[in-house]
Amino acid sequence: MAEAREQWHSRAAFIMAAVGSAVGLGNVWRFPYVAYSSGGGAFLIPYFVALFTAGIPLLILEMGLGQRLQRGAPLAFGAIRKPLQWFGWWVAGLSAAIVIYYTTILAWSWTYLWHALTQAWGDQPETFFFETVLRRSEGPGEIGWPVGPLVIGMALTWLLIYLILRKGVRSVSKVVMVTVPLPMLLLAVLLVRGLTLPGAIDGIRYYLTPDFSMLTDWRIWLKAYGQIFFSLSLASGVMIGYGSYLGKKAEVTNSALITGLANCGTSFFAGFVVFSMLGYLANVQGVAVPDVTTSGSGLAFVTFPTAISQLPALNALFGVIFFVTLLTLGIDSAFALQEAFTTGFHDKWGVHPEKLARVFVLIAFPISLIFVTRGGYFWFDIVDKWICDFGLVISGLAQCLIVGFLYRVREFRDYLNEQSEVRLGNWWIWALRYVTPGVLSVILVANLLEEIKVGYGGYPRWATLIGGWGTVLLWGVLGFVLWRRPQNSDRVNARGED
Ligand code: PHE
């Protein structure tokens, strides 16, 4: 017999881990910006519609699938139909690809943690970010060597991931008790600081003033779905992997609801932190709020540092708090991603967690150094775009159709209902079969057309072909190889199937 599957310490540990994976950098730099540029307060309408019609139904699907089948994505899909194991490996491969580039942001954060002590960015934070920290080259064709301090940041990140994952999910249970509440607490500290600064209210007003006329633009609705998807860590196998460590009798539906609401609540809350600071910055610089508003790396590594330098006192402390927040927000998303990938090797070949963590880190670390070379920023940007806009969308679409039509979905729903205090009605099946696939197809086609017509980010085609489609398709090939490799015979017997 194979050993019993590892389990979470408690239901709370599972929910914490799921929240830890969902709440990440996406909540702090992506949500506030998307919300403000898509109708402010009015954006909450499509956002919550997306949460309830796609986010939560899919979260229940993924956690429930892992829990019921007691396996990570590769073998879980393989159990639905044998050839779908290939699809499962592809999904898990996306999570491997994400963690390899996601760690880049953590590497930047480590160096900024250091620079925050002296606010080394001075009064030119943008030049500092691109030229001093990233030493960015002219374009993706000019790669150059990895940049020393960023290599150290990368190494620290991977070392931490290894240390956390080597003891399996039991140690994850403990780590998330710190990495989930800590950034929330630090965000609260930043919020109090932000709200008590002059001009804060202008920022908040900017963030929330509803512009209902924007709701007639269908692109806003697509943005809401895209944001929900990325933010809840859907379609990457993460939630399937985490669900698989729940006991056979565990409850899923309510945990998924709690995870979804906690994640979106954190996003909403982070918006207050970000916009109160932006309001202050605009006030100091004597400009309007939109003139200081940026998203993505620009917000975390350019605009926020500027605001930190402008604070009346304790600048170094608030700088450190901000970058520790980013690090603790990101690290639990990172190890969840790695776990989602490696769990397939444990399921299929019985590889020990320590060995999995070690081998993965030893392979992934050198690959991730591509993203901290001088041209790395461009590759980071391309891979991120393709994984989020194509990889995850295709995966989510396929996942809904597979479970909706090939997996006796009514029986699955009754199974989930038996164990939960929250009962799922027919709406859940409708959401999986029609609503979510419909919306995701539109998103996919819209993105594809845009890509074909205008390309992305002004990059040359060869770069997006290699970095973008290459990354997404490479996992199709590697997934095929992993699928075809025979399962260890003791694992076949233990589970009585192949
Ligand atoms: N949800 C994470 C965030 O908001 C990102 C993530 C995406 C993590 C997909 C895992 C899987 O930052």
Side-chain angles (χ1 to χ4, degrees), residues 5-8 10-11 13-15 17-19 21 58-73 76 169 233 237-253 255-256 259 336 339-340 343 347 412 415-416 419:
R5 193 173 183 82
E6 274 193 289
Q7 280 181 14
W8 299 108
S10 60
R11 179 172 174 192
F14 166 67
I15 294 177
V19 172
S21 149
L58 218 69
L59 203 53
I60 298 171
L61 178 158
E62 295 199 7
M63 289 176 169
L65 203 63
Q67 189 265 359
R68 191 176 190 201
L69 298 171
Q70 297 281 298
R71 298 165 198 159
V169 315
S233 307
V238 167
M239 295 299 178
I240 302 180
Y242 270 4
S244 75
Y245 296 113
L246 283 168
K248 273 298 224 181
K249 290 257 164 293
E251 187 288 333
V252 166
T253 313
S255 303
T259 307
E339 173 65 28
T343 190
D347 294 346
F412 184 27
Y415 167 85
L416 293 171
Q419 335 221 29

Side-chain angles (χ1 to χ4, degrees), residues 67-232:
Q67 189 265 359
R68 191 176 190 201
L69 298 171
Q70 297 281 298
R71 298 165 198 159
L75 294 206
F77 284 105
I80 296 177
R81 290 281 191 284
K82 281 183 195 161
L84 288 177
Q85 194 193 113
W86 182 9
F87 170 73
W89 280 110
W90 178 72
V91 173
L94 289 182
S95 68
I98 302 178
V99 66
I100 291 174
Y101 83 78
Y102 200 80
T103 43
T104 312
I105 311 173
L106 298 174
W108 298 345
S109 304
W110 282 110
T111 40
Y112 266 81
L113 185 59
W114 171 252
H115 294 310
L117 295 174
T118 53
Q119 288 105 62
W121 47 80
D123 50 11
Q124 297 236 287
E126 187 155 2
T127 322
F128 182 80
F129 177 56
F130 289 114
E131 288 174 21
T132 315
V133 175
L134 303 187
R135 310 213 14 243
R136 194 170 66 160
S137 65
E138 294 297 311
E142 205 185 315
I143 293 184
W145 287 100
V147 178
L150 295 177
V151 174
I152 300 176
M154 241 345 164
L156 281 172
T157 306
W158 286 111
L159 182 69
L160 265 182
I161 295 180
Y162 166 73
L163 292 175
I164 293 165
L165 287 184
R166 82 192 152 134
K167 294 241 172 74
V169 315
R170 295 232 137 217
S171 62
V172 170
S173 294
K174 286 185 214 136
V175 172
V176 291
M177 295 296 168
V178 179
T179 58
V180 177
L182 184 64
M184 307 262 187
L185 194 78
L186 297 179
L187 277 177
V189 173
L190 292 171
L191 180 67
V192 173
R193 177 63 281 199
L195 286 180
T196 49
L197 289 166
I201 194 70
D202 298 328
I204 304 288
R205 199 173 295 133
Y206 206 76
Y207 167 43
L208 289 182
T209 304
D211 176 0
F212 291 102
S213 68
M214 295 196 72
L215 297 187
T216 52
D217 182 350
W218 57 276
R219 276 184 230 105
I220 302 291
W221 290 80
L222 297 190
K223 272 200 202 167
Y225 278 85
Q227 174 61 20
I228 282 287
F229 234 69
F230 181 78
S231 191
L232 289 176

Side-chain angles (χ1 to χ4, degrees), residues 19-30 95 98 101-102 227-239 263 267 329-330 332-334 336-337 387-388 392:
V19 172
S21 149
V23 174
L25 303 159
N27 301 59
V28 175
W29 55 242
R30 211 155 173 269
S95 68
I98 302 178
Y101 83 78
Y102 200 80
Q227 174 61 20
I228 282 287
F229 234 69
F230 181 78
S231 191
L232 289 176
S233 307
L234 295 171
S236 54
V238 167
M239 295 299 178
N263 177 65
S267 291
L329 277 174
D332 38 21
S333 302
L337 284 158
I387 297 263
C388 294
L392 293 181

